[in-house]
Amino acid sequence: MSSSKLAIRQDMPPKGGYAPIHWKRYAPKRTIPGYFFFSAWVGGSIYCWSKMALMRFEHRINDHHEYFIRKNLYPFIWAEEDRRMVRARKQHEEDLALIGAGTDWDPHRRTLAQEEVWTAWSPREMRVLLTDEERVALGGSPSRYSVNDLYQNYMWQIDCHEDEAKAWLDKPTRMVGLNDRELGPDGSDYQKH
């Protein structure tokens, strides 16, 4: 049988032709949409604003309560301060009595206030003058209050401010600059008081 007599089947396009080839790539969008960011911003803003409003309300309530607490505690604070001042003054008089033993010194004498009406003690009249060792050496008994309890830890007993004020008043340059002093025609310091 010759080759010309064989049945040959050849694939042909279907009727109507082939479908179009999808040669273009359609990649799906994988970014977060804008409305999601906007919704998150609005929600976060509302949440933060509400928390801030609640915090400010709590602070106002706490400040209101703290005012009355402090107002009611003031009498106790003032009374404790008075008790500390009395203890410091008593310790000061005991130290003066030990220091001035055998003399006519009156430990109850007011040295810095000579008015007829009683005035508050100055810091110098409430200082702890002796240590426990010095009190025992002078024949006294140790104190239950140390220097730290009655003097060093309380600003109302610190008297260095008086010395600083006096030193400032005594300075010839208190009213002018340190290097701006003018001398008179004869070279004298006419600004000095």
Side-chain angles (χ1 to χ4, degrees):
M1 183 180 293
S2 63
S3 60
S4 60
K5 297 294 186 177
L6 294 177
I8 300 175
R9 180 180 177 85
Q10 183 177 1
D11 292 335
M12 297 298 292
K15 292 182 180 180
Y18 292 105
I21 301 174
H22 296 280
W23 56 272
K24 186 177 181 181
R25 180 168 179 251
Y26 291 95
K29 291 184 178 182
R30 300 185 182 274
T31 60
I32 301 177
Y35 62 83
F36 176 82
F37 285 108
F38 179 76
S39 302
W41 176 74
V42 172
S45 300
I46 295 175
Y47 174 78
C48 294
W49 182 86
S50 60
K51 295 293 287 186
M52 183 65 67
L54 179 62
M55 188 186 334
R56 293 182 69 252
F57 176 75
E58 292 177 353
H59 285 181
R60 289 184 60 186
I61 296 298
N62 292 338
D63 292 342
H64 185 72
H65 292 174
E66 182 183 1
Y67 167 77
F68 288 99
I69 291 174
R70 291 174 62 91
K71 182 176 70 68
N72 295 329
L73 280 179
Y74 274 140
F76 300 96
I77 295 174
W78 292 335
E80 181 63 25
E81 183 176 353
D82 293 341
R83 283 191 289 268
R84 289 187 180 275
M85 293 174 64
V86 171
R87 289 197 294 263
R89 177 58 182 175
K90 181 179 179 181
Q91 187 64 59
H92 179 83
E93 293 178 355
E94 292 178 0
D95 293 346
L96 284 180
L98 290 175
I99 295 173
T103 65
D104 57 350
W105 178 265
D106 182 12
H108 301 283
R109 171 188 164 201
R110 299 296 301 275
T111 56
L112 298 178
Q114 304 296 338
E115 293 84 354
E116 296 180 358
V117 180
W118 186 87
T119 57
W121 295 306
S122 69
R124 291 186 182 277
E125 294 179 293
M126 293 184 293
R127 295 187 61 175
V128 177
L129 302 176
L130 300 176
T131 61
D132 287 342
E133 293 78 7
E134 293 172 341
R135 293 191 193 97
V136 173
L138 292 174
S141 59
S143 174
R144 56 175 294 198
Y145 307 111
S146 63
V147 176
N148 290 331
D149 290 336
L150 291 179
Y151 175 63
Q152 290 185 351
N153 291 343
Y154 298 96
M155 289 297 297
W156 53 266
Q157 287 182 332
I158 296 178
D159 58 353
C160 61
H161 308 294
E162 300 176 7
D163 299 334
E164 293 177 357
K166 292 179 181 178
W168 182 81
L169 288 175
D170 293 339
K171 281 171 50 176
T173 58
R174 65 182 183 278
M175 295 302 178
V176 295
L178 293 178
N179 299 323
D180 296 339
R181 300 191 59 76
E182 299 180 0
L183 301 179
D186 55 349
S188 62
D189 191 354
Y190 66 91
Q191 294 183 357
K192 186 175 181 179
H193 299 287

